[in-house]
Each structure stands twice: as C-alpha cells, then as structure tokens.
Amino acid sequence: MQFNFDESAPLYQQIADQLEEMIFAGGFDEQAQVPSTTQLSQQLHINPATVLKGMNMLVDKGLLEKRRGLGMFVKEGAQQKIMEQRKESFYNDYVKSLLVEADKLGITKQHLLELIERGEHDGTINH
Amino acid sequence: MEQLTIKNLTKKYRHDMILDDLSFTLEPAKIYGLLGRNGAGKSTLLNIISNRIFPTSGEVRLGDDVVNDNDDVLSKIFLMSEANLYPRGMKVSQTFDLADVAYGNFNYDYAKQLAELFELDPQAKVTNLSTGQRTISKLIVALAVDVDYVFLDEPILGLDANHRDLFYKELVKTYQEKPRTFVLSTHLIEEIQQLVEHVLVLHNHHLIIDEDTDEMLAKAYAVSGPAKLVDQYTDGLRVLKKESIGNIQTSYIFDHLDDQRVIPDQVKIDHYDLQHLFMYLTDGREG
C-alpha cells in the first residue's frame, strides 16, 4: 500500500481519494477489511483525527462501512458505485476541459474527432 | 480531563520583553505544534506553563486551578526539555523511577519496550550518553509518564532519520491508546505537519497564529503568472511574500480567495506547505 501526499488538497481528502482509488483498482476486495485508523495513522505519521475524517468521507459516500468492534470494511457494490460516480464526473472533469482547450487552440470538432481516432489507433487505450 | 488556559502571560527579563501578553487555551487529548524561530520564547513559554520559571504577570490554569506551585496540578503536566536536570551518575532506569515518584503510575513496561526499540541500555549512565541517546532517554520518559499534558521541547534533537520515524510512530500509538495532549516544539516542521491538529506560532513576543492545521493550509495559496495579472487577482488579499523570475511572479497568499473573482487563464493557483507558510509568516516583515 503506497500513499503519496502533496499540497493539492486537505490531507483527509487525499486519504479518502487514495483509499477510493485502491478500492476501485481492486486493492481491497468488497467485504474485505481496510486498514484501521490506528494502523494508517501510525504507519503514515498522520494525526488519527485526520485519518478518521478521511475514512468517514468514504462511509458517507457509501463505500466503506463500520462494523462494530471489528473495524472498517469495503461495502458490497463499492466498485460499481465508484464506477458510476466517475462516469458522472467524466463529462465535467474531462470532456468540458477538453473542449475549452480545443477551442483555445482553434481545433475544430472534426479535427477533434480525428484526434480521438488517432489516439485509439496509436494504442493509447490498451485493449 | 480539563483544558489548560494561558491568560495574559507576560515575561520580561530586566527590560527585555520575551513574551508579551499571551492568551490561549490547550484542549485535552489533542496534538499541537508550537512553532517559532530561534529566540522566539518557545522554551520560556513551556517553562512557565510547567512552573519551572515564573511569569512577570498573567497566569496558567488547569481547569479552575492555578498551576503555580500547585503540586496536584503539576503532576498532570510534564515537560521534556533540553536542560539536563538529572544528577551525575544517574542511570537511565533511575530516571524512570524519578518520573514514577513525581507523576505516579509510570508505565515501566512501555518504557522497557521503548528502550529495546530504540536500542538504549537502561543501565547506562545518563551523563555517558551521546546527544541522540540522551534525547531518546528523555523521550522514553515523556511517552511513558502518566500525565494529561506532555510538552516536548525539541523532542528530536540529535535523532537520526530512523529514530525520528520510530518516535513519530510511537507517539501516534501511545496517543491512540491513551489520548492526552502533546505539544511539539520543533524546527522540523515538514515532519510534523501531518501530526499536529492545531498550530501555535510565536513571533516577536506575540502569538501570531492559534489555528487548526487544516484551516491554515486551506488559506495557503501560491498564485503565479504574469506579475500584473497576479497582482490584480490578489489585490486586497493578505500577501506574505512575492517571488519573481522575469515577468512571472508567484505571490504567497495567506487568506481565503475571493470566489467572485475570475481566475485569469495564465494564472495558476496551488497550495504550499506549513514549513513555507511558517517561514513567510516569520520573515520579520510581518508580525
């Protein structure tokens, strides 16, 4: 498990984001236990309150669940849920900014479509 | 556990002002960072709080009780400092006994475990220890002593990277097992940024920052781009420092950004860390 922190966002947010990424990537299976606040804060030298705040964000999002006396577990259907959330933000995060940048560079819609095809052809997308 | 209140605390040495009218509170079970440049008065403050020296005026209270010469209260406050208070020839293990007598309920098991982890022989004499080993022996006492408030003045003096890592780990561990307040006074700000929930900054005899770490960092913005656009965008905001390369300027802000202002295309906004924020706040121009 490798965490990387920078100054881009509050630390608890980064903890939540990176745990989410690990769940999405299959680093933790559904129903599996994730490291405890204790483990994470000791390992990363992070204030337990901060780690807890990050974990609770994922509880609120319905990705983790607390099991009394046992710890924190990945909820069933968490991966699917992340997938849906990401699809939703795909338009805002990628498509919109792609169009803004294309417009700045004077790239036409036709040219843009050609570029997407070229990307596919060049094997940017590995399938 | 009760909160520790510092009220209108002033310390002068003859005509020199050291601390000028400080007021703040420390809450139970929280990890604090006390930051300040050399000579800012951090050690003086910690010594006053733990009743080792007296203020010129003002007071320190735990709950409703004044700390000054009150043994009951003082047995709940521990200061680990650079000063060596132990008599010549004293063994490390005997410093554990001293802490047990003074504060009660010393955790010998944990102290022994820590000595093993840090590879320190409890039978060694304190005077024969190296700087780093002496720090370790004091840290062991500070982590195993049974008090509500632990003040650590330069807790990592002379420790190598491995031992610093071990110390942070053990600090978090013991804090979780038995939540109590720790105040870390150190210059290695990068290493404690993630550990401290709340930050206090002493500068020019005053407490200039008393704020949660998250809130502070949320206001630390580095705005860079063409100088004119950066100045326009940051107009009226609190700018701590400006740096330029050619026509490109970076302004370090300590303020909330104005959501109403449009960010120009050529302007880039990032956050910066606690260490830099501290440097810019205590550069001398501010405060």
Side-chain angles (χ1 to χ4, degrees), chain B residues 28 53 83 95 104 113 139 152 154 158 178 180 253 266 270 281:
Chain B
I53 58 175
T95 69
Q113 196 188 324
L139 276 180
L152 303 169
E154 293 294 342
K178 190 168 149 301
R180 55 205 193 271
I253 310 296
Q266 302 98 307
D270 291 307
L281 281 167

Side-chain angles (χ1 to χ4, degrees), chain A residues 7 38 41-42 44-45 47, chain B residues 165 173 176 194-195 271:
Chain A
E7 306 304 321
T38 311
S41 50
Q42 281 177 29
L44 305 168
H45 306 160
N47 192 297
Chain B
D165 188 75
K173 196 170 136 197
Q176 282 180 314
Q194 304 179 347
L195 266 175
H271 280 284

Side-chain angles (χ1 to χ4, degrees), chain B residues 197-263:
Chain B
E197 194 174 341
H198 196 93
V199 176
L200 302 162
V201 179
L202 271 183
H203 185 54
N204 290 342
H205 327 297
H206 292 101
L207 189 68
I208 59 165
I209 295 286
D210 176 4
E211 207 171 350
D212 280 351
T213 318
D214 276 355
E215 284 169 26
M216 274 182 87
L217 292 174
K219 294 189 291 183
Y221 290 104
V223 181
S224 52
K228 207 177 145 199
L229 291 175
V230 169
D231 282 336
Q232 262 171 24
Y233 180 74
T234 59
D235 183 42
L237 300 179
R238 184 170 175 203
V239 179
L240 297 181
K241 188 188 175 68
K242 291 180 186 181
E243 266 171 0
S244 322
I245 302 171
N247 183 37
I248 295 298
Q249 177 182 310
T250 301
S251 290
Y252 294 91
I253 310 296
F254 185 49
D255 213 338
H256 290 291
L257 296 181
D258 186 346
D259 289 337
Q260 306 300 314
R261 277 182 216 177
V262 179
I263 305 168

Side-chain angles (χ1 to χ4, degrees), chain A residues 34-112:
Chain A
V34 297
S36 66
T37 311
T38 311
Q39 283 171 312
L40 278 184
S41 50
Q42 281 177 29
Q43 195 179 334
L44 305 168
H45 306 160
I46 294 178
N47 192 297
T50 310
V51 176
L52 190 64
K53 206 168 166 183
M55 291 256 199
N56 280 334
M57 286 181 79
L58 296 188
V59 173
D60 291 343
K61 279 178 107 174
L63 302 177
L64 291 181
E65 64 182 348
K66 279 180 212 157
R67 292 188 195 161
R68 207 167 253 284
L70 292 174
M72 208 66 102
F73 290 78
V74 179
K75 247 186 146 172
E76 189 159 9
Q79 267 189 338
Q80 185 61 31
K81 201 161 205 166
I82 298 171
M83 176 82 96
E84 279 160 19
Q85 282 164 355
R86 289 199 178 182
K87 272 183 186 165
E88 230 164 80
S89 52
F90 181 77
Y91 176 72
N92 279 319
D93 292 350
Y94 296 94
V95 179
K96 271 189 177 172
S97 50
L98 179 79
L99 290 172
V100 169
E101 184 70 10
D103 186 55
K104 272 192 228 165
L105 299 174
I107 294 172
T108 62
K109 188 181 159 193
Q110 184 56 41
H111 190 184
L112 199 57

Side-chain angles (χ1 to χ4, degrees), chain B residues 52-165:
Chain B
R52 287 195 193 169
I53 58 175
F54 300 110
T56 307
S57 61
E59 60 177 23
V60 180
R61 280 176 190 270
L62 184 64
D64 295 327
D65 303 321
V66 177
V67 167
N68 192 356
D69 279 337
N70 182 337
D71 284 345
D72 273 355
V73 173
L74 284 169
S75 70
K76 293 176 187 164
I77 300 173
F78 180 85
L79 169 63
M80 169 202 162
S81 70
E82 246 185 274
N84 216 340
L85 304 171
Y86 301 125
R88 273 188 80 83
M90 184 169 246
K91 289 177 185 167
V92 172
S93 62
Q94 288 172 308
T95 69
F96 300 168
D97 299 335
L98 270 189
D100 188 47
V101 171
Y103 302 94
N105 206 16
F106 187 79
N107 192 341
Y108 282 97
D109 288 344
Y110 187 41
K112 204 179 142 214
Q113 196 188 324
L114 285 171
E116 268 167 37
L117 285 170
F118 281 103
E119 295 165 271
L120 181 74
D121 176 12
Q123 297 312 313
K125 286 183 179 160
V126 176
T127 34
N128 293 342
L129 300 177
S130 68
T131 310
Q133 286 172 324
R134 198 167 306 153
T135 298
I136 290 168
S137 78
K138 290 176 185 177
L139 276 180
I140 293 176
V141 174
L143 294 177
V145 70
D146 184 28
V147 295
D148 295 341
Y149 286 83
V150 183
F151 294 89
L152 303 169
D153 194 2
E154 293 294 342
I156 44 187
L157 197 74
L159 295 194
D160 61 30
N162 309 50
H163 279 158
R164 292 204 300 276
D165 188 75

